[in-house]
Amino acid sequence: MKGRWIVFEGLDGAGTTTQVKLLESSLRGLLGDQALIRSTAEPTHGPFGEICRQALKGQISLDRRTLALAFTTDRCQHVFSEGGIEATLDSGGWILQDRYLHSTLAYQDGPDRDWLEALHSIFPRPDLLFFIDTPIAECLSRIRSRGQDQELFEREEVLRSVQAAYQRILEKESVTHRVEILDGTQPAGSLHRQVLERIQSHFHPAG
Ligand code: TYD
């Protein structure tokens, strides 16, 4: 049996990480201890993901194409390596994921768009993609309230172009894949209930 793969996307501060955590705990309750449920994120904590994180923190400076390749290489390992996403799905597991290729297509969008899309043609798509649509001002205020150092893309003008790129990507993906757009201004608990409802209607996980 093949498992289910659910990905959350959104701007920095949109609330994807919280939703992955809430979903993991609800699914464990619904599916029981025997179910294989794995939460994961990109960039990963593998070697290429660490390079991405260093670039995000400004500890190393990478050319934009090099950074796009670093995110994509990290993803390649995440999906295709032994014990990776593909293998987990093949053994019937659930993958709940914070960010995937849509992040590269949105954040690294620009003059290299065709090249990036071609690079991503080999990657499988998730069974369901949630986009948490949170206004930029709200995202920035949440990021500020975390009190951490500002990362590479956590600036208003950058998030504006990322948001436009996401819109284009979501439109395109929704022609061939399941995409659900959720209002990210709702409290985390209400958002989570909607996530569960949409999952129930797509996959009936408990029945
Ligand atoms: P985020 O998901 O918020 O992770 P953390 O909570 O660990 O900071 O941040 C990851 C950042 O990386 C975010 O700004 C989006 C960016 N990113 C890309 O630019 N391209 C990608 O392919 C991915 C996966 C992330």
Side-chain angles (χ1 to χ4, degrees):
M1 185 185 81
K2 195 175 175 296
R4 298 293 188 188
W5 184 10
I6 299 172
V7 168
F8 289 84
E9 288 277 357
L11 298 176
D12 293 76
T16 55
T17 310
T18 306
Q19 290 305 317
V20 169
K21 282 189 194 139
L22 292 171
L23 182 56
E24 179 177 359
S25 117
S26 291
L27 277 183
R28 287 198 188 285
L30 280 168
L31 300 175
D33 291 343
Q34 301 304 311
L36 173 58
I37 301 169
R38 209 181 118 198
S39 293
T40 186
E42 291 183 6
T44 70
H45 288 282
F48 298 101
E50 289 305 336
I51 291 174
C52 299
R53 282 172 200 287
Q54 286 176 23
L56 290 167
K57 291 188 186 119
Q59 293 164 349
I60 54 171
S61 165
L62 297 180
D63 158 71
R64 66 163 202 279
R65 285 153 296 201
T66 313
L67 180 59
L69 283 174
F71 280 118
T72 309
T73 309
D74 180 43
R75 174 163 310 125
C76 217
Q77 184 72 1
H78 195 197
V79 174
F80 300 116
S81 66
E82 207 176 309
I85 292 172
E86 256 196 350
T88 305
L89 292 169
D90 284 345
S91 52
W94 284 69
I95 298 281
L96 315 177
Q97 184 167 335
D98 193 355
R99 298 194 180 282
Y100 185 46
L101 54 81
H102 320 84
S103 284
T104 302
L105 299 176
Y107 281 80
Q108 279 68 56
D109 187 39
D112 314 311
R113 182 183 294 168
D114 291 347
W115 174 69
L116 277 181
E117 287 184 354
L119 264 182
H120 282 89
S121 61
I122 63 156
F123 287 96
R125 260 49 179 186
D127 296 296
L128 181 56
L129 169 67
F130 284 107
F131 180 76
I132 306 188
D133 191 10
T134 309
I136 293 172
E138 173 73 27
C139 291
L140 288 171
S141 118
R142 292 182 194 172
I143 292 167
R144 267 184 236 114
S145 70
R146 288 179 196 157
Q148 293 164 350
D149 289 344
Q150 193 183 41
E151 289 195 344
L152 193 59
F153 302 122
E154 294 174 349
R155 297 199 318 268
E156 181 165 356
E157 63 282 11
V158 177
L159 292 185
R160 250 178 231 303
S161 57
V162 173
Q163 188 179 46
Y166 262 131
Q167 265 162 20
R168 191 185 59 78
I169 292 151
L170 293 173
E171 253 170 56
K172 201 167 165 188
E173 290 288 309
S174 63
V175 176
T176 44
H177 298 93
R178 288 173 171 149
V179 177
E180 294 280 0
I181 299 177
L182 300 173
D183 173 3
T185 60
Q186 303 171 81
S190 334
L191 205 52
H192 173 56
R193 279 190 291 282
Q194 277 187 22
V195 165
L196 278 182
E197 276 165 27
R198 309 277 165 106
I199 291 175
Q200 291 277 6
S201 78
H202 283 295
F203 312 130
H204 316 289

